[in-house]
Amino acid sequence: MTRVNRLGAGLGVAGLVFGLAACADGTTPADSAGAIDQNAPVTITVGDRPTPDKPNDLKTFEQKVKDFTAKYPNITVKTTETSWQAQTFQAQVAGGTLPTVMAISFTEPANMIPNKQLPDITDELKLVDLTKDLNPNVLKIVQDDKGRIYGVPTDVFSVGLAYNRALFKQAGLDPDKPPTTWDEVRQYSKQIADKTGKAGYAQLTTNNTGGWMLTTMTYSMGGTVQSQDGKKSTFNDAPTKKALQLLKDMRWTDNSMGSRFLYNQEEVRQDFAAGKIGMVMQAPDAYDMSVKQFAMKPADFGEGALPQAGGPFGTLTGGSLKMISPKATKNEIVAGLKWIKFDQFEKYTSEAVAVADAKNSIADKGFVGRPAITPLSQQTFDQYNKWREPYVNVPIKQFQSYIDSTTSLKLLPEPGNKGQEVYSLLDPVVQQVLTKQDADIDKLLSDTATKIDARLAR
């Protein structure tokens, strides 16, 4: 999945319709065959504008648009709140209601590229001098079998285990030693529940997050969710059954998962920040929302490696990328890539911009230095972090177990074929295991595999 609007995931949907003639909203006519003229007037629409309930983020975004158009006076930028939503995105694609540029999940390109729903931007990337800075391992997400490029990865994560250090202390657990195996997770969860009365562990279950986290558990237990060619499901076997049995045991035998079992991303972070949950699978960016939006004490947040069973096997990696509308003209593609470079990457290659960005984050009560996986070359990322080192305001030591895991655990990609559909169909499996004591895991998986195989075969 992705952090792109999973907060609501969640990463109002507005958009525009591109036509063959000049459009009423000012978009450039869609003539993708024409020659590129970088000085010609061009209008692009940029998605992911922050909503009014985030005034500081919105102010920063609007200033960035002003700075960009000052640098490129021939480019007019219109903005929209359109953002990626797993349940509605394909309808937007089919309806042609996408902005010129927007962020989408890593799960989308595998289907969109062969269906020609993304433009080939390889040559335009070279034109704006962006290709050389991108992490070649991450870039594979948006390449076809010939190495042509169809998107720009910007945000990369891997899943770890977020835990509440205060609850660990109350339960008599060492907050500097999070569990590293799923057996330990079960043990710690029961100890937290018994000693504090809080949920020792919680599981995401709704809005495709149930399937997403079940996939993550399956990976950590040595399993897979679909075949390498993406044509058949593979989860109806021992690792996924083991993951579901573990959840069932913690829920019904140990009674260590509290009383709430239907969670999306934002809801689980809110309860986690409130001290109602001891552990939950999350990427490190959970720190931002937990502390900034839900007032969790920074000292209480911990992030460990994703627990393993019989491994190490690895952890799920995902993220978001910037896509360009398939209806964009060549000039719009170039303008869109210039925006992406300006918006996402200038801070990595300019000390002045990196420092200014860090200072702006602090002024906006944001965070500097939270561990992450780079979408760029490691050398570029290391230099960027060095520039920002004096401004770090995140308790990095509380992420140490996770940091260590970024080199010790394999990063395993999300399902490549219809990933969001797979997640959606797996959601009810996790929900039933946690809400029905007599849930038959074998039957649930068998029935769901049949449904998913029918989707994958299309």
Side-chain angles (χ1 to χ4, degrees), residues 236-256:
N236 190 16
D237 62 0
T240 305
K241 290 178 182 179
K242 184 176 182 179
L244 290 170
Q245 187 62 52
L246 174 66
L247 293 174
K248 189 173 185 179
D249 290 342
M250 287 197 293
R251 161 68 175 100
W252 297 103
T253 302
D254 301 344
N255 193 29
S256 68

Side-chain angles (χ1 to χ4, degrees), residues 157-224:
F157 72 90
S158 64
V159 178
L161 185 75
Y163 64 99
N164 188 304
R165 293 170 60 87
L167 287 181
F168 265 48
K169 291 177 183 178
Q170 292 174 34
L173 297 167
D174 187 340
D176 293 324
K177 294 182 179 178
T180 59
T181 69
W182 283 108
D183 286 342
E184 288 179 340
V185 169
R186 183 178 180 183
Q187 173 192 332
Y188 285 27
S189 180
K190 188 172 187 339
Q191 189 164 332
I192 291 169
D194 289 347
K195 297 285 187 179
T196 72
K198 308 297 184 182
Y201 177 84
Q203 187 84 355
L204 288 164
T205 53
T206 67
N207 294 356
N208 297 13
T209 63
W212 177 48
M213 286 294 101
L214 179 59
T215 296
T216 303
M217 290 184 76
T218 296
Y219 286 179
S220 72
M221 295 180 176
T224 56

Side-chain angles (χ1 to χ4, degrees), residues 416-439:
N417 187 16
K418 296 181 173 63
Q420 293 301 329
E421 293 184 46
V422 171
Y423 291 160
S424 176
L425 289 168
L426 285 171
D427 271 5
V429 175
V430 185
Q431 293 167 12
Q432 290 194 52
V433 166
L434 294 178
T435 59
K436 295 183 178 181
Q437 190 167 5
D438 61 350

Side-chain angles (χ1 to χ4, degrees), residues 148-432:
R148 303 296 289 181
I149 303 169
Y150 296 83
V152 183
T154 56
D155 187 27
V156 189
F157 72 90
S158 64
V159 178
L161 185 75
Y163 64 99
N164 188 304
R165 293 170 60 87
L167 287 181
F168 265 48
K169 291 177 183 178
Q170 292 174 34
L173 297 167
D174 187 340
D176 293 324
K177 294 182 179 178
T180 59
T181 69
W182 283 108
D183 286 342
E184 288 179 340
V185 169
R186 183 178 180 183
Q187 173 192 332
Y188 285 27
S189 180
K190 188 172 187 339
Q191 189 164 332
I192 291 169
D194 289 347
K195 297 285 187 179
T196 72
K198 308 297 184 182
Y201 177 84
Q203 187 84 355
L204 288 164
T205 53
T206 67
N207 294 356
N208 297 13
T209 63
W212 177 48
M213 286 294 101
L214 179 59
T215 296
T216 303
M217 290 184 76
T218 296
Y219 286 179
S220 72
M221 295 180 176
T224 56
V225 169
Q226 64 181 218
S227 59
Q228 192 168 0
D229 62 9
K231 294 181 179 180
K232 189 171 179 59
S233 66
T234 57
F235 57 78
N236 190 16
D237 62 0
T240 305
K241 290 178 182 179
K242 184 176 182 179
L244 290 170
Q245 187 62 52
L246 174 66
L247 293 174
K248 189 173 185 179
D249 290 342
M250 287 197 293
R251 161 68 175 100
W252 297 103
T253 302
D254 301 344
N255 193 29
S256 68
M257 292 182 67
S259 58
R260 183 172 180 178
F261 309 104
L262 298 179
Y263 273 119
N264 65 28
Q265 181 87 299
E266 185 168 358
E267 292 165 346
V268 86
R269 290 178 176 184
Q270 185 170 12
D271 277 2
F272 176 72
K276 298 178 181 179
I277 296 170
M279 298 174 287
V280 59
M281 285 187 288
Q282 290 282 289
D285 72 312
Y287 178 88
D288 300 26
M289 178 177 282
S290 298
V291 173
K292 186 175 182 178
Q293 187 170 332
F294 298 130
M296 186 177 193
K297 293 179 181 178
D300 291 348
F301 187 96
E303 179 80 10
L306 180 73
Q308 304 288 296
F313 293 110
T315 182
L316 179 145
T317 185
S320 62
L321 60 108
K322 294 291 186 180
M323 68 159 282
I324 303 288
S325 167
K327 295 187 177 182
T329 67
K330 292 288 187 182
N331 284 349
E332 288 172 352
I333 291 174
V334 171
L337 292 176
K338 286 180 178 179
W339 164 257
I340 293 169
K341 184 176 181 180
F342 183 88
D343 179 43
Q344 299 288 324
F345 294 108
E346 272 204 353
K347 64 184 180 182
Y348 294 113
T349 56
S350 165
E351 182 175 4
V353 176
V355 170
D357 181 75
K359 290 180 177 179
N360 287 339
S361 293
I362 292 172
D364 202 30
K365 298 182 180 180
F367 306 106
V368 177
R370 173 177 46 76
I373 297 174
T374 176
L376 305 165
S377 68
Q378 193 61 49
Q379 182 179 1
T380 299
F381 195 60
D382 289 345
Q383 179 62 71
Y384 164 72
N385 285 328
K386 187 174 182 180
W387 289 332
R388 290 159 58 92
E389 198 170 282
Y391 308 97
V392 170
N393 62 352
V394 171
I396 295 178
K397 288 184 178 180
Q398 293 167 206
F399 293 77
Q400 193 58 53
S401 177
Y402 170 82
I403 294 170
D404 293 343
S405 77
T406 61
T407 55
S408 64
L409 291 181
K410 290 181 181 179
L411 298 179
L412 305 172
E414 298 184 75
N417 187 16
K418 296 181 173 63
Q420 293 301 329
E421 293 184 46
V422 171
Y423 291 160
S424 176
L425 289 168
L426 285 171
D427 271 5
V429 175
V430 185
Q431 293 167 12
Q432 290 194 52

Side-chain angles (χ1 to χ4, degrees), residues 48-64 66 81 292-293 360-361 363-366:
D48 306 297
R49 183 181 68 223
T51 51
D53 62 319
K54 299 175 181 177
N56 292 330
D57 291 344
L58 181 58
K59 182 179 178 181
T60 300
F61 179 83
E62 290 175 341
Q63 184 60 51
K64 187 168 286 189
K66 290 179 182 178
E81 292 176 8
K292 186 175 182 178
Q293 187 170 332
N360 287 339
S361 293
D364 202 30
K365 298 182 180 180

